[in-house]
Amino acid sequence: MARVAIVTGGTRGIGEAISLALRDLGFTVAANYAGNAEKAKAFTDATGIKAYRWDVGDHQACLDGCAQVAADFGSVDVVVNNAGVTRDGVLHKMTFDDWNEVMRINLGGCFNMAKATFPGMRDRGWGRIVNIGSINGQAGQYGQVNYAAAKSGIHGFTKALAQEGAKYGVTVNAIAPGYIDTDMVAAVPPAVLEKIVAKIPVGRLGHASEIARGVAFLCSEEAGFVTGSTLSINGGQHMY
Ligand code: CAA
């Protein structure tokens, strides 16, 4: 039977590309989304991939949503924690809500989804968790103390959980995308974005499919010896 993958934020942007890449690898994919029901329906109509609505920042909703996916398809073997939001602003203008919402969804979502699925992967002796971090969690970014902190937290979370999963066949890795041509990056003021792109050695924004390719590798059978790693896919903008 095909293995089952949940992709959070899986109906749009990078998540949509990941859902398609995992489907093409032979996984049964469940695409989670939070708000845009119209886009989710269009995604399901176009791809046949079932979409499930819940807020990854809501602990109980993750437990219930993952239980529903398991009831529909048998188990959850792969989780890609891709869902994320920005509430950019310099610290002196940032509100507590801006801070909290980004931490709740971007970092809290990883914990909630792992709590719902990691025990089953561990019991069955096979699993893949891929967390989508960010170049801005590695290098920081002006106007993003909330997002950079949450994404940096994701990289620490990944390395800690990788140690817990290793002897049970559960790998936990992160991808750190750079600036990708998604709605999230399109929301950056054009003058600011122009300066950022000028600092990307490859000379362009990345494509969602280029992130999805990395996720597909980390979820594959052949990547069983890769755990606790961060794969940076950023056009050379930050190397370390
Ligand atoms: N370094 C140093 N100074 C900077 C700066 C930088 N990178 N960016 C802006 N400044 C300075 C400006 O020059 C300006 O200085 P002066 O007042 O002396 O002229 C001052 O900061 C205020 O700048 P803004 O007018 O831009 O301030 P603002 O409050 O209107 O907006 C902001 C601030 C919201 C942070 C805006 O600059 C912005 O949106 N920046 C982009 C942030 C960004 O890159 N977000 C990434 C989103 S995509 C993503 O997150 C995906 C991913 O994982 C990569």
Side-chain angles (χ1 to χ4, degrees), residues 38-120:
E38 201 180 312
K39 172 62 190 158
K41 184 177 179 314
F43 167 83
T44 298
D45 290 347
T47 63
I49 296 173
K50 200 165 170 189
Y52 293 80
R53 184 174 191 162
W54 76 80
D55 172 2
V56 298
D58 179 332
H59 188 71
Q60 190 60 46
C62 286
L63 298 179
D64 295 345
C66 292
Q68 185 60 55
V69 173
D72 290 351
F73 297 122
S75 62
V76 178
D77 308 299
V78 173
V79 169
V80 182
N81 284 310
N82 164 75
V85 296
T86 51
R87 297 282 185 276
D88 291 357
V90 287
L91 180 86
H92 66 275
K93 294 183 194 166
M94 188 178 286
T95 65
F96 179 70
D97 281 352
D98 294 332
W99 165 264
N100 208 35
E101 193 64 350
V102 170
M103 297 303 283
R104 187 183 76 82
I105 295 172
N106 296 16
L107 184 55
C110 292
F111 174 79
N112 295 336
M113 289 298 295
K115 278 293 282 184
T117 58
F118 180 78

Side-chain angles (χ1 to χ4, degrees), residues 155-178:
H155 294 299
F157 176 93
T158 299
K159 292 175 200 174
L161 190 59
Q163 293 178 31
E164 296 184 21
K167 68 175 177 221
Y168 299 101
V170 182
T171 68
V172 187
N173 292 286
I175 295 219

Side-chain angles (χ1 to χ4, degrees), residues 86 88-90 93 133-136 141-144 147 151 177-179 184-185 188-189 192 196:
T86 51
D88 291 357
V90 287
K93 294 183 194 166
S134 169
I135 186 175
N136 295 346
Q141 168 62 37
Y142 189 100
Q144 281 201 313
Y147 187 88
K151 291 295 188 180
Y179 282 73
M184 185 182 272
V185 167
V188 173
V192 176
I196 291 171

Side-chain angles (χ1 to χ4, degrees), residues 159-222:
K159 292 175 200 174
L161 190 59
Q163 293 178 31
E164 296 184 21
K167 68 175 177 221
Y168 299 101
V170 182
T171 68
V172 187
N173 292 286
I175 295 219
Y179 282 73
I180 309 300
D181 56 5
T182 59
D183 292 349
M184 185 182 272
V185 167
V188 173
V192 176
L193 189 58
E194 205 176 298
K195 283 188 196 148
I196 291 171
V197 174
K199 290 188 187 142
I200 303 175
V202 168
R204 62 168 174 85
L205 295 176
H207 304 308
S209 60
E210 292 172 309
I211 304 302
R213 190 86 184 98
V215 175
F217 166 67
L218 292 171
C219 293
S220 68
E221 212 54 58
E222 294 78 2

